[in-house]
Amino acid sequence: MSGESISPVDLAWLRMDSPTNPMVIVAVLILSEPLAYARLKRVLERQLLTFERFLDRPICDALGGHWQRDEQFELAFHLRRLKLPPRAGESQLQAAASRLASTPLDPTRPLWQFHLVERFGKGSAIVGRVHHCYADGVALMRVLLSLTEAAPGASSVPSPASKHVNEASQAPRSLLAPLTGVLGSAETLAQRAIETTAEVLNTSLQALAHPTQAASRVQRIADATRELAKIALLPPDPPTPLKGRLSRNKQVSWAEPLSFAEVKTVAHALGVSINDVLLSTVAGALGAYLESGGTAIDSMTLKALVPVNLRPADQTPRLGNEFGLVFASLPVGERHPLARLYAVNRDMDALKHSSQAVVAFWLLTALGVLPDIVEHEAIELFTTKASAVISNVPGPREPLYVAGVRIERQFFWVPQAGSIGLGVSLLTYHGAVHFGVMADRHLIPHPERITARFVGEFERLLLHVLAGVPPPAPPRPAASTP
């Protein structure tokens, strides 16, 4: 509804924009056949615009923010043709997506655009951009599902509650899926965050005026923020070429897909989760990339911010941001693929029993009601503790069709915030895992050197499993001197 207030957590993502890190989710769809502009336009008119939020633009004001209807809305501005050179290949498409990822959206209009390459290879391609304040990756996957059909010529459902949602929910869940059943709704968490923020401010004033009377309230606040303190005390990530001064230019790259069946087989054989296997493979690819450039990685562990979906599994699909974040460890200095996998598994198991994702959601919500300068300082502090953002979005098991044309491959990149210049995406779709990288050009001018290692790192792990090679024994602690 036009005029509706922007929720605090969505406002936090809107205000998080910076020239070096626009808060825009970028997606690339590669289609099996040519798709005409007029056909895609009809799909967006009939399906996307049933989500009325896409007719609104976000407005920041002194009291926070609100959604304002674009009375001059023109779909032609939001659906653009994108022309590539004749016989352009994937490197040219990646370059075009990189340019778009580096280009800010027009703040005088709703913050989203689709760009159609009508002729790409034997088919077409679509590059989509949506500001993070509209929705997170899980919500946007459900939007995509509402634009598609399960078979060519089948009718789409012109409702946000797409029939494909159940299919998506059967795919691999988020990296900390067990959390979603016990945390309560994101709305409840957001309300708690707002109440806690107000209580913190009120308690601070009371403590100044009446120190003894405020003691019990201070204790309650201390209990609520203990986990936040643990996060705040995490040390910054070690210096590597993945960290440094950011530019305003992004580079995207993607890898050949992995067989989901093979990933699942490895996970089952070793008694770990599918997501453990994928995170370990990412860590191996990053470690190999760093070492090839001369970085000493022995015993090095980096951290990555990993989004965690907080929606109940049976929730009606809707826009907005309903996820927390955790700091996952990436043992890039562990060269043995099995030892690296088990290290990731131990770390992820520990995170599943922590409240880190909830606290991060509280923090983001609280930042949305605090002054802008407080948010920027907090984001800068927290993003020094990680070297990458790794997002894993489950897609449907069966192929999807847009305007009757099959989607062959899908890639997406969530934005990086603060001082983080590397984003890694994992998308499971139609029996394959699609891996992509978005990197700041100043830090990583050739992200394809990371994506090129992804398949090889998984194959090394698979080879060890097939050969029955055990992981190396952990080093024994040094004997104490009497």
Side-chain angles (χ1 to χ4, degrees):
M1 179 186 301
S2 183
E4 177 185 354
S5 295
I6 301 175
S7 73
V9 68
D10 294 341
L11 184 61
W13 286 105
L14 177 62
R15 300 193 313 188
M16 217 179 294
D17 258 326
S18 72
T20 55
N21 266 330
M23 292 297 102
V24 176
I25 298 172
V26 179
V28 174
L29 307 181
I30 297 178
L31 310 178
S32 63
E33 301 171 28
L35 174 60
Y37 177 94
R39 291 170 62 192
L40 181 57
K41 183 172 182 286
R42 283 196 298 272
V43 169
L44 298 185
E45 287 172 336
R46 297 173 182 174
Q47 301 301 120
L48 182 68
L49 298 185
T50 61
F51 297 87
E52 292 189 2
R53 178 64 72 236
F54 288 102
L55 299 172
D56 299 336
R57 66 188 186 99
I59 304 294
C60 278
D61 53 39
L63 299 177
H66 66 276
W67 296 102
Q68 182 181 85
R69 183 60 45 89
D70 181 5
E71 299 299 340
Q72 282 76 47
F73 180 86
E74 295 181 19
L75 184 54
F77 177 82
H78 298 275
L79 176 59
R80 300 291 191 90
R81 287 182 170 91
L82 176 62
K83 291 188 176 181
L84 298 182
R87 295 182 293 279
E90 293 201 358
S91 61
Q92 286 79 20
L93 180 59
Q94 291 172 351
S98 299
R99 288 192 296 272
L100 290 170
S102 307
T103 304
L105 291 163
D106 184 351
T108 67
R109 298 176 182 267
L111 299 179
W112 60 273
Q113 276 190 328
F114 288 88
H115 306 262
L116 173 65
V117 183
E118 292 183 275
R119 293 285 178 178
F120 175 72
K122 295 181 179 180
S124 296
I126 301 172
V127 181
R129 299 186 294 157
V130 181
H131 197 284
H132 211 316
C133 69
Y134 284 72
D136 55 31
V138 171
L140 288 178
M141 174 56 71
R142 291 175 171 179
V143 170
L144 173 65
L145 293 172
S146 74
L147 304 180
T148 60
E149 313 98 34
S155 60
S156 300
V157 180
S159 165
S162 168
K163 65 180 179 179
H164 300 301
V165 168
N166 290 334
E167 294 179 24
S169 66
Q170 295 170 3
R173 299 176 67 190
S174 63
L175 290 171
L176 292 181
L179 284 170
T180 59
V182 298
L183 297 179
S185 72
E187 285 180 321
T188 302
L189 294 174
Q191 184 60 37
R192 289 178 188 168
I194 296 170
E195 292 169 354
T196 300
T197 303
E199 189 173 2
V200 168
L201 296 174
N202 185 44
T203 298
S204 300
L205 296 174
Q206 291 286 338
L208 290 174
H210 307 286
T212 56
Q213 297 177 13
S216 61
R217 299 184 72 188
V218 170
Q219 182 59 48
R220 289 200 303 273
I221 297 300
D223 293 340
T225 58
R226 186 174 292 112
E227 186 69 31
L228 179 60
K230 291 179 183 177
I231 298 174
L233 292 173
L234 287 172
D237 253 6
T240 70
L242 305 181
K243 298 281 283 185
R245 180 176 61 84
L246 302 180
S247 69
R248 299 190 179 197
N249 296 306
K250 302 291 184 183
Q251 296 272 82
V252 305
S253 178
W254 52 76
E256 289 298 314
L258 290 180
S259 163
F260 176 67
E262 290 184 355
V263 174
K264 185 177 180 180
T265 298
V266 169
H268 179 75
L270 298 178
V272 299
S273 74
I274 291 168
N275 294 309
D276 292 341
V277 174
L278 295 176
L279 269 185
S280 174
T281 302
V282 171
L286 291 178
Y289 167 78
L290 289 171
E291 193 164 39
S292 70
T295 301
I297 63 170
D298 291 343
S299 303
M300 178 182 287
T301 296
L302 302 178
K303 292 187 290 296
L305 278 171
V306 176
V308 179
N309 181 29
L310 297 180
R311 292 173 173 81
D314 57 351
Q315 182 188 84
T316 301
R318 60 185 179 186
L319 299 180
N321 290 276
E322 300 184 41
F323 68 96
L325 294 163
V326 296
F327 286 89
S329 294
L330 301 176
V332 298
E334 176 54 70
R335 294 173 178 82
H336 195 290
L338 287 176
R340 184 169 60 243
L341 173 59
Y342 287 130
V344 168
N345 172 254
R346 289 191 297 270
D347 177 65
M348 296 307 293
D349 278 350
L351 286 173
K352 289 173 186 176
H353 295 91
S354 79
S355 56
Q356 196 173 114
V358 180
V359 168
F361 183 84
W362 285 353
L363 174 65
L364 286 169
T365 304
L367 291 177
V369 299
L370 290 172
D372 192 36
I373 190 171
V374 176
E375 176 176 349
H376 283 285
E377 291 294 329
I379 294 301
E380 188 63 29
L381 172 65
F382 276 74
T383 56
T384 63
K385 303 174 186 299
S387 296
V389 175
I390 300 178
S391 188
N392 180 19
V393 173
R397 297 177 179 179
E398 302 302 322
L400 297 178
Y401 297 78
V402 56
V405 177
R406 187 174 70 248
I407 300 173
E408 291 283 0
R409 288 185 286 164
Q410 303 181 51
F411 306 95
F412 79 101
W413 296 270
V414 299
Q416 302 87 59
S419 62
I420 296 178
L422 173 63
V424 177
S425 70
L426 299 161
L427 175 65
T428 305
Y429 166 66
H430 189 208
V433 180
H434 301 276
F435 172 79
V437 164
M438 175 186 285
D440 186 276
R441 181 181 294 177
H442 180 258
L443 299 179
I444 306 173
H446 299 286
E448 67 275 7
R449 295 177 183 174
I450 297 175
T451 56
R453 289 173 164 83
F454 184 69
V455 173
E457 287 299 322
F458 174 75
E459 289 177 344
R460 285 184 62 219
L461 174 61
L462 179 61
L463 182 61
H464 278 74
V465 173
L466 294 176
V469 179
R476 293 183 178 182
S480 58
T481 304

